[in-house]
Every structure is written in C-alpha cells, then in structure tokens.
Amino acid sequence: MTGERGPRALQRAETRRTLLRESRKLFAAQGYAAVGLAEIVRAAGVTKGALYHHFDSKTDLFRAVLAEVQEEVAVRVAAAGDAQAEPWDQLAAGCRAFLEAGADPDFQRILLVDGPAVLGWAEWRALDEQGSARHLVDALTTLVEAGLLAPQPVQPLARLLSGAMNEAALWLATTAEPGALEDTWAALARMLESLRAE
C-alpha cells in the first residue's frame, strides 16, 4: 500500500504545482476575470476533476497563487534587508526591494490589482500582513527600540508606509515615465529620512 501511496502523492503534488504555475501565468497575463477554468486546465494538461481535487473554485486557486506571489515578495524584501548590517539600511533596502518587485508583472496584476478585487480588502490585507507587512513592522520596531525612530506606535506607522508603497507600486505598474522607479525611490527615501529621530 505504501508503494502505491508514494507515487500517487508525488503525482498529486506535481499536479498542484502545475496548476499553480500555469494559472499564475494566465492570471498575470490576462487578469483574473478574463481567465476561465477551461483555459487553466488546458494549459496545465489536467482535467477539471483534477483541478477540483486541489481547489474548490477558481477563487480558491487564485488565493493560492496570490499567497505564493506574496511569499516570494516577502522573501525578496527580507533578503534585501538581511543583506544590510545596520537597522536603518535594512529598512531602506527592504522598502526599495518592495518597489522593485513592483516592476514584476506577476506582482502588479496578481497582488495589487486583482488581489483586493477578487478576495476583498480584508482577506487581501490579512494575507499581506503575513508577508511583507510583518517584515515592515519588525523593522520599524527595531528602529524605535534602537532610538533611530522617535518612540511611537508602530502599527499605524507600518500601515501608513505600507499604503504609500502599495500605491507607489500601483503607479509604477501603470506609468511609462522614464526613471519612474528611481524617482519613486528618491521620494520614499526622503519620506523615510523625515521619520528619523533627531
């Protein structure tokens, strides 16, 4: 029995990975509303039954894709911060990494445009909280404790900065202005500097 379960379990895992990969490509390229289940199963080379074995609905599949994208962005942000030695530089590097991730079409369409629209603001925000937002809160807490930021409640500040960065990433996704990323980063860096303790 164990021999049969092993290969089947591997096949199920591979089917799930394939569904996530192919639906992610489609959602990123066309947007959630334009992609049908028939197109997803055709691209993945599976049946609708196989899709429904893993996901209850197209929304459930999108939720899994969104979680995957959010985790990737969170890893990028954390890695950029962790590469710096000083707490202030960690915050700045993480914020810049978030803006740079905004240049990725998967990020723009799936995370910022369709995510809140498909799942609703509350669920989208909760998923964001588990990813990049958590790293921002941690970084700000460290800066307050080190005296680099004036003592203040971190949660509202984190939400203000997160909102500003999400809005900036959305703008970057829609603008064709040359140097938009560098201009946006310069503005964000000035905003961050204004928060430093005297």
Side-chain angles (χ1 to χ4, degrees), residues 1 14 22 49 69 75 91 103 106 116 130 133 157 163 172 178 185 187 196:
M1 195 62 94
E14 181 57 33
E22 296 304 322
V69 172
V75 166
L91 172 69
D106 287 7
Q130 297 166 14
L157 179 59
L172 286 170
W185 168 243
R196 273 193 196 252

Side-chain angles (χ1 to χ4, degrees), residues 76-87:
R76 286 167 70 170
V77 167
D82 291 345
Q84 303 299 317
E86 298 299 320

Side-chain angles (χ1 to χ4, degrees), residues 18-19 21-23 25-26 37-46:
T18 301
L19 283 164
R21 182 183 65 243
E22 296 304 322
S23 61
K25 287 179 195 173
L26 292 166
L37 287 178
E39 191 175 2
I40 292 169
V41 296
R42 187 170 47 252
V46 301

Side-chain angles (χ1 to χ4, degrees), residues 66-109:
L66 175 65
E68 185 178 87
V69 172
Q70 282 185 313
E71 180 58 27
E72 288 174 19
V73 171
V75 166
R76 286 167 70 170
V77 167
D82 291 345
Q84 303 299 317
E86 298 299 320
W88 188 266
D89 296 334
Q90 290 171 348
L91 172 69
C95 290
R96 181 172 177 105
F98 181 84
L99 289 181
E100 289 173 350
D104 183 331
D106 287 7
F107 173 87
Q108 296 165 357
R109 169 76 77 162

Side-chain angles (χ1 to χ4, degrees), residues 13-187:
E14 181 57 33
T15 298
R16 181 180 168 81
R17 280 192 298 275
T18 301
L19 283 164
L20 287 170
R21 182 183 65 243
E22 296 304 322
S23 61
R24 177 174 172 164
K25 287 179 195 173
L26 292 166
F27 291 145
Q30 301 174 35
Y32 175 85
V35 177
L37 287 178
E39 191 175 2
I40 292 169
V41 296
R42 187 170 47 252
V46 301
T47 65
K48 275 193 180 178
L51 184 146
Y52 283 121
H53 176 77
H54 294 281
F55 304 100
D56 294 336
S57 63
K58 182 174 125 178
T59 301
D60 191 37
L61 173 59
F62 179 81
R63 183 179 291 109
V65 168
L66 175 65
E68 185 178 87
V69 172
Q70 282 185 313
E71 180 58 27
E72 288 174 19
V73 171
V75 166
R76 286 167 70 170
V77 167
D82 291 345
Q84 303 299 317
E86 298 299 320
W88 188 266
D89 296 334
Q90 290 171 348
L91 172 69
C95 290
R96 181 172 177 105
F98 181 84
L99 289 181
E100 289 173 350
D104 183 331
D106 287 7
F107 173 87
Q108 296 165 357
R109 169 76 77 162
I110 293 170
L111 190 57
L112 296 174
V113 177
D114 285 344
V118 173
L119 300 182
W121 178 254
E123 184 175 353
W124 178 83
R125 200 59 200 114
L127 287 169
D128 185 51
E129 195 70 34
Q130 297 166 14
S132 301
R134 177 174 39 88
H135 296 296
L136 182 57
V137 168
D138 292 346
L140 293 172
T141 300
T142 299
L143 290 170
V144 168
E145 290 172 353
L148 297 170
L149 282 179
Q152 60 188 291
V154 169
Q155 293 295 336
L157 179 59
R159 274 146 185 80
L160 286 166
L161 287 175
S162 179
M165 288 188 287
N166 283 337
E167 190 62 32
L170 275 170
W171 179 74
L172 286 170
T174 58
T175 188
E177 284 188 30
L181 176 61
E182 289 308 315
D183 289 346
T184 303
W185 168 243

